[in-house]
Amino acid sequence: MVSAKNAMLMFMIIAPFAICFGTVYRVGDASGWHPMFDYQNWASSKKFCVADTIRFEYNAIFHNVKEVTEPNYRECNATNPIATYYTGNDSFTLKQPGHRYFLCGFPNHCKYGQKVDIYVHEVSSPSPAPANSLPFPPSPAAKNPAPSSARTNSASSIHISIVQIAIKSLAVVVLAYFV
């Protein structure tokens, strides 16, 4: 039988890892990043939390990603971005709660809907991954990485599954040892 002391020790070792790893979202899910998609509806169907990652996948010849302020987001003004990304595979880890605003800087793309407001919640528990999630590791940010005070959006939810499986396996081994 597990003593209260051993159970508490196991909890103290394993619990921090259970909430440290976020979910990876592919912006637009399978549709990716392009005009004529309802990104606001997409974003409102997700719960983005601190430590989650959002990934923009797009054809870099025709699109880019610009992080902008709220007024510039509302006006589709891409002339003074916080940061510009153009690799076609850009990821952002959400580090603080609040809004982050992204749009495409190509002419008229934002006006046709290629913009997204990501609201980031405080971390309370790990975000669940949807059934259609795929394991996309975060890519390095392109030019002008977003400041740590910025907020981000996500695409398809993806748990960092290998790390979580390893942690859960360790928990089972430790539990089996004490039982």
Side-chain angles (χ1 to χ4, degrees), residues 90-122:
D90 305 311
S91 295
F92 308 94
T93 299
L94 306 172
K95 296 181 180 177
Q96 294 183 348
H99 289 272
R100 289 188 73 174
Y101 303 96
F102 298 92
L103 54 81
C104 180
F106 279 63
N108 295 315
H109 287 205
C110 179
K111 291 180 182 176
Y112 286 110
Q114 196 172 359
K115 65 180 188 174
V116 64
D117 169 6
I118 303 288
Y119 180 72
V120 182
H121 297 270
E122 289 281 349

Side-chain angles (χ1 to χ4, degrees), residues 25-29 32-33 39 42 54-56 116 153-156:
Y25 295 93
R26 181 176 180 217
V27 176
D29 292 326
W33 182 240
Y39 291 100
W42 173 83
I54 57 168
R55 174 180 230 133
F56 289 84
V116 64
N153 291 344
S154 303
S156 304

Side-chain angles (χ1 to χ4, degrees), residues 21-27 29 42 46 48 51-57 90-93 127-130 132-139 153-161:
F21 301 105
T23 300
V24 178
Y25 295 93
R26 181 176 180 217
V27 176
D29 292 326
W42 173 83
K46 313 286 187 233
F48 305 103
D52 286 348
T53 298
I54 57 168
R55 174 180 230 133
F56 289 84
E57 292 183 8
D90 305 311
S91 295
F92 308 94
T93 299
S127 302
N132 65 345
S133 60
L134 300 171
F136 292 114
S139 68
N153 291 344
S154 303
S156 304
S157 301
I158 302 165
H159 279 288
I160 304 173
S161 58

Side-chain angles (χ1 to χ4, degrees), residues 35-104:
M36 308 303 287
F37 182 84
D38 188 351
Y39 291 100
Q40 286 318 113
N41 186 48
W42 173 83
S44 68
S45 72
K46 313 286 187 233
K47 182 177 180 183
F48 305 103
C49 294
V50 171
D52 286 348
T53 298
I54 57 168
R55 174 180 230 133
F56 289 84
E57 292 183 8
Y58 55 93
N59 184 330
I61 295 171
F62 302 110
H63 308 288
N64 60 23
V65 176
K66 293 192 176 205
E67 184 168 5
V68 296
T69 62
E70 181 183 9
N72 286 343
Y73 173 82
R74 280 187 272 119
E75 298 297 321
C76 284
N77 181 353
T79 59
N80 190 21
I82 294 169
T84 300
Y85 305 89
Y86 47 83
T87 69
N89 190 20
D90 305 311
S91 295
F92 308 94
T93 299
L94 306 172
K95 296 181 180 177
Q96 294 183 348
H99 289 272
R100 289 188 73 174
Y101 303 96
F102 298 92
L103 54 81
C104 180

Side-chain angles (χ1 to χ4, degrees), residues 6-7 9-18 21 161-179:
N6 289 340
L9 178 64
M10 287 187 312
F11 177 78
M12 290 173 60
I13 292 169
I14 296 168
F17 294 103
F21 301 105
S161 58
I162 294 173
V163 173
Q164 290 180 340
I165 290 169
I167 291 169
K168 290 175 183 173
S169 298
L170 175 64
V172 169
V173 169
V174 170
L175 184 61
Y177 175 78
F178 288 107
V179 172

